[in-house]
Amino acid sequence: MENTVDNDLSEQGTLQETVAEVCSSGDPEEEAVGEDEVDKPPEEETKEAPQESEDAGENIDYENAVLSSGTHVAPTVNTSTAADAVAVDAVADDAVSVSNTSSRIPPFQVRVLYDFESQPGTGELSIKEGEILTVTRQDVGEGWWEGSNAFGQAGLFPAAYVEEVTATAPPPMPPPPLPTEYANVGDEWVENRTNLESNNWNASQDNKATSGFNVNAQRRPVSQQMSYDNDDWDDDWDDDDSEPGNNYLNGAGNFGLSAPNRAAKSSSSVGDVSTAGAGKASVDEKDKVFVEDYGNGPVWKPNSNEFTCAITSPKKESKFHGMKSFIAYTLMPSFSSTPVSRRYKHFDWIQGRLSEKFPLIPIPPLPEKQISGRFEDDLIEYRMTMLQSWVDRICRHPVISQCEVFHHFVTCPNDEKLWKTGKRRAESDKLVGANFYLAIERPDTALDVMQTEAKLEGYNRFFSNLDESVKLLQNTCMDQAKKHQTAFKREYNKISHSFSKLSRAFDTDPSNCAPGLTEAIHHMSEAYSDIGTVFEEEPKHDWDPLCHLLFEYRGLIDGFPSVISITKGAIAKRRQVEKEANEGRLDYDQVPPMVRRSDTIAYALHAEVAHFHQERTRDFKKAMTSFLTEQINFYQKITDRLRESLEKFNDV
């Protein structure tokens, strides 16, 4: 027994040394942050002395391992400070699960932990959670394995997205009881996993659990799905505060690897549709949301106090004497003269609060979290551009832009007490989930059930077709951006080299009888080299901006199946209540309230779809106009460069 204890202590000491070595390697990274830190604006955080965290440990970040010049880069493992000895055992346990090497010799089987969608022309293999794969090679590259699925399809996939299938013996003793905060969430976790696995357009038609998810976002632990009031609400995860890497693909057209999806909204966050709008929470006049009908269908009442919010001056800041680094952004609302500072984690917090509060409004997705090269200038610029687009979309929404929690986010000064007070007030808001319907004021005109159901089917077909087309166009954008920066540039460089070699051959003529011709061909070679550079730089002007817009719309579209499902559930409940009342099994007095509630939900859905169409028309008109303009400029540059070369031959 003494030998066993000594061995354990020895192993723990070795792990402590390993963690200390990682933290002192010069690549700044930030540990998972507790509530007290998130309650403080970035300026306050920089003044804190380092302290041990009870829940500090390894934060495995599967988000967006980046493709760099065709080289696959493994997802990064972030560790907390070496001084945090409590986390050593957790580091040892978790590190095994993400190791990209295995003691087993291929072939062997692995189980997929997270979905991964392959990119065209890369040799990657699309995998789905729960799928069993056969590993055939492990020496492909850092963080990547090669294998095949049950259908015989073979390709590359991230090693961190799978776990080995091993036969394990039962534990020698029963497991300890669950902590109190986890004791009652088992059914919800199972339901959420089931909803995620079956979340497709056909299944969502019959899904009354109102599941939905945002694409390319990080899955959170169960404790965070329960409530934002948990004191350790972000201790087990972090935002962009992971270690920087050296590999980065210039140009934002490639979004990197698909990351685990954020967990779906649980049904408890939306509430039973039969009680939606039937609560007793009081609604202040400032909290009321109005649906109007001006003759063309229900719409949200326009915001009479429209405003914008500019994001500028991304600044790299640090704490713990430079050991931890992060990027802070300056926000300036148009109605205020006081700038405020926010980090990515604050954006993630406000997105979570908005998703919790508005069950019938799909919240736009945040830009996905980058790992490698996150302090590169191009990446910082890309992140700021996407965050600006996110804030603009929220500011244009007539409902979300008026809510108190969003105003707190864009106006709260960099003061710890003020931020914490507003945060607590937002997290104690009663008008969230099912209670949100209490705040909706809509026309008294009753909706025809048959017409409403027909509209729901139309919505479903539209969003299903739109989802498919947006995914296809986004893949095309990424493929074109990649070709411009690699294949097309390479081909034009090859053409340039060929003409250059011809001009050098002419230059070896001892008599030098045609120097003008030699010079013109040399100029022609340079022209094709310049055209290759034009191709390389073009995606940031046309394909990348279009791809960014499609990324946003994929997130918005993915929210509508759950919204449509909520409305269908309300109508189904209404029909059930009416049937039971007609059969005498239910008091008829219960029918009118249920009819009003189902109509309220339907009115809200119609208003949100109308707002979506308005935004869609605006966004795609602007995007396509800009895309075609840049395409014309692109080909004009090529034409002008070729015309210059042509003129050189006039003097020959």
Side-chain angles (χ1 to χ4, degrees):
M1 177 62 71
E2 293 177 357
N3 291 337
T4 302
V5 174
D6 291 340
N7 290 337
D8 291 341
L9 292 175
S10 176
E11 292 176 4
Q12 182 172 356
T14 302
L15 287 170
Q16 288 174 326
E17 294 173 2
T18 302
V19 174
E21 185 176 310
V22 171
C23 290
S24 62
S25 63
D27 283 340
E29 59 176 306
E30 180 172 348
E31 62 185 334
V33 186
E35 178 187 23
D36 289 339
E37 185 175 339
V38 175
D39 284 337
K40 302 174 184 178
E43 282 74 4
E44 296 295 329
E45 294 171 356
T46 60
K47 300 177 184 178
E48 289 190 356
Q51 60 182 6
E52 292 187 358
S53 172
E54 179 180 352
D55 295 323
E58 182 178 37
N59 176 24
I60 301 174
D61 193 339
Y62 295 101
E63 286 274 348
N64 296 318
V66 180
L67 290 172
S68 178
S69 300
T71 302
H72 299 293
V73 182
T76 302
V77 179
N78 301 325
T79 57
S80 58
T81 59
D84 207 338
V86 179
V88 173
D89 291 336
V91 172
D93 293 338
D94 290 341
V96 175
S97 66
V98 296
S99 174
N100 57 7
T101 61
S102 171
S103 59
R104 302 182 62 180
I105 300 176
F108 59 89
Q109 290 188 323
V110 293
R111 179 180 291 104
V112 178
L113 297 174
Y114 306 103
D115 292 352
F116 168 68
E117 186 173 335
S118 63
Q119 300 299 327
T122 60
E124 298 168 351
L125 176 67
S126 295
I127 56 180
K128 298 295 183 183
E129 180 181 354
E131 187 177 7
I132 301 298
L133 307 177
T134 300
V135 178
T136 55
R137 284 182 60 195
Q138 295 176 266
D139 57 349
V140 177
E142 183 65 24
W144 290 82
W145 286 351
E146 183 178 2
S148 58
N149 57 22
F151 302 101
Q153 298 170 327
L156 305 179
F157 54 87
Y161 281 35
V162 300
E163 65 177 358
E164 292 186 37
V165 178
T166 57
T168 57
M173 63 183 67
L178 283 173
T180 305
E181 64 268 23
Y182 290 85
N184 298 319
V185 298
D187 293 339
E188 178 183 332
W189 175 240
V190 172
E191 178 185 3
N192 286 339
R193 289 182 61 87
T194 302
N195 288 338
L196 278 173
E197 292 168 359
S198 62
N199 187 7
N200 57 59
W201 283 95
N202 292 327
S204 66
Q205 295 304 300
D206 302 319
N207 180 10
K208 300 304 185 289
T210 66
S211 64
F213 65 89
N214 290 333
V215 294
N216 294 327
Q218 182 182 11
R219 174 174 293 168
R220 291 182 173 176
V222 183
S223 59
Q224 293 167 30
Q225 298 172 34
M226 293 187 297
S227 171
Y228 277 93
D229 295 327
N230 191 325
D231 287 340
D232 300 323
W233 72 278
D234 73 341
D235 271 0
D236 294 330
W237 62 281
D238 206 359
D239 57 316
D240 56 338
D241 303 326
S242 53
E243 65 175 341
N246 297 321
N247 296 306
Y248 174 70
L249 177 62
N250 291 327
N254 192 317
F255 287 98
L257 304 179
S258 300
N261 295 321
R262 186 187 299 273
K265 272 186 195 175
S266 65
S267 58
S268 61
S269 67
V270 177
D272 184 356
V273 293
S274 64
T275 61
K280 297 181 179 179
S282 59
V283 181
D284 294 337
E285 189 65 28
K286 64 181 180 63
D287 294 324
K288 289 183 178 180
V289 175
F290 295 90
V291 176
E292 306 286 354
D293 191 340
Y294 302 108
N296 295 321
V299 295
W300 298 117
K301 182 179 179 180
N303 185 2
S304 58
N305 299 311
E306 294 183 354
F307 66 95
T308 59
C309 183
I311 301 180
T312 58
S313 308
K315 182 181 179 182
K316 180 181 177 181
E317 299 181 358
S318 62
K319 62 178 183 177
F320 297 163
H321 305 288
M323 290 183 64
K324 309 301 176 186
S325 301
F326 55 88
I327 301 295
Y329 302 88
T330 300
L331 274 67
M332 175 73 82
S334 58
F335 57 79
S336 172
S337 60
T338 305
V340 298
S341 182
R342 298 290 181 263
R343 291 167 55 187
Y344 183 88
K345 69 172 62 181
H346 300 109
F347 282 92
D348 194 88
W349 174 80
I350 185 62
Q351 187 198 41
R353 292 309 309 164
L354 295 177
S355 297
E356 187 85 3
K357 181 173 179 62
F358 302 109
L360 282 179
I361 300 177
I363 304 301
L366 290 171
E368 73 268 36
K369 178 173 150 186
Q370 299 279 0
I371 297 174
S372 297
R374 67 188 181 90
F375 293 143
E376 298 283 353
D377 291 341
D378 286 346
L379 179 57
I380 294 174
E381 183 68 25
Y382 158 73
R383 169 70 69 80
M384 187 175 70
T385 299
M386 296 297 285
L387 290 177
Q388 180 67 70
S389 180
W390 187 88
V391 169
D392 289 345
R393 196 171 295 280
I394 297 297
C395 289
R396 291 196 303 268
H397 198 285
V399 175
I400 306 177
S401 61
Q402 299 183 71
C403 70
E404 182 179 2
V405 63
F406 184 66
H407 278 258
H408 169 70
F409 172 74
V410 298
T411 61
C412 181
N414 303 323
D415 179 89
E416 176 185 352
K417 289 186 177 180
L418 293 176
W419 174 263
K420 182 178 291 187
T421 300
K423 180 173 177 284
R424 290 285 180 267
R425 185 166 58 249
E427 292 170 351
S428 61
D429 186 5
K430 302 302 181 183
L431 297 176
V432 300
N435 283 340
F436 166 68
Y437 305 110
L438 292 171
I440 297 178
E441 297 286 334
R442 47 87 171 178
D444 294 330
T445 305
L447 296 176
D448 182 88
V449 176
M450 300 286 289
Q451 292 181 359
T452 301
E453 289 179 326
K455 285 187 177 181
L456 293 182
E457 292 301 322
Y459 293 159
N460 188 73
R461 286 192 301 272
F462 168 75
F463 285 110
S464 177
N465 293 332
L466 185 61
D467 179 63
E468 182 180 353
S469 62
V470 165
K471 288 179 180 177
L472 176 61
L473 183 55
Q474 186 186 26
N475 287 335
T476 300
C477 289
M478 291 190 290
D479 184 53
Q480 287 295 314
K482 191 172 183 179
K483 287 179 178 178
H484 274 67
Q485 295 169 342
T486 55
F488 294 161
K489 177 179 171 59
R490 184 169 57 247
E491 289 302 313
Y492 278 95
N493 284 342
K494 190 182 298 183
I495 295 173
S496 172
H497 175 72
S498 299
F499 285 121
S500 177
K501 193 168 184 178
L502 178 63
S503 69
R504 289 197 302 268
F506 282 7
D507 198 37
T508 59
D509 177 17
S511 64
N512 193 25
C513 63
L517 177 61
T518 302
E519 179 63 26
I521 295 177
H522 177 70
H523 188 278
M524 186 176 175
S525 169
E526 292 180 340
Y528 276 96
S529 177
D530 292 344
I531 291 173
T533 302
V534 171
F535 267 91
E536 181 183 29
E537 296 177 350
E538 182 58 23
K540 65 183 179 182
H541 300 297
D542 45 29
W543 293 109
D544 287 351
L546 182 57
C547 197
H548 297 165
L549 176 67
L550 298 172
F551 168 80
E552 291 184 79
Y553 268 83
R554 284 191 64 178
L556 289 170
I557 294 167
D558 279 336
F560 274 97
S562 61
V563 175
I564 295 172
S565 180
I566 293 172
T567 312
K568 283 192 169 186
I571 293 177
K573 186 66 178 180
R574 169 182 176 173
R575 288 189 178 278
Q576 178 185 349
V577 170
E578 289 175 336
K579 179 181 178 181
E580 292 180 355
N582 291 333
E583 294 174 350
R585 294 184 292 153
L586 197 66
D587 291 340
Y588 197 79
D589 293 342
Q590 298 186 32
V591 174
M594 187 62 234
V595 171
R596 286 195 299 271
R597 290 196 290 270
S598 66
D599 278 356
T600 298
I601 296 174
Y603 265 110
L605 173 60
H606 295 327
E608 183 58 27
V609 171
H611 175 73
F612 177 86
H613 288 319
Q614 180 182 351
E615 287 284 288
R616 174 174 62 92
T617 302
R618 172 193 173 278
D619 290 338
F620 279 89
K621 177 184 177 181
K622 180 180 178 181
M624 295 307 173
T625 301
S626 175
F627 177 81
L628 288 176
T629 301
E630 293 298 336
Q631 283 276 288
I632 292 172
N633 293 337
F634 166 63
Y635 287 108
Q636 188 64 50
K637 291 177 186 177
I638 296 175
T639 302
D640 293 343
R641 195 69 179 87
L642 292 176
R643 184 173 287 111
E644 290 178 10
S645 293
L646 178 61
E647 292 174 354
K648 293 292 182 180
F649 286 90
N650 294 333
D651 301 329
V652 175

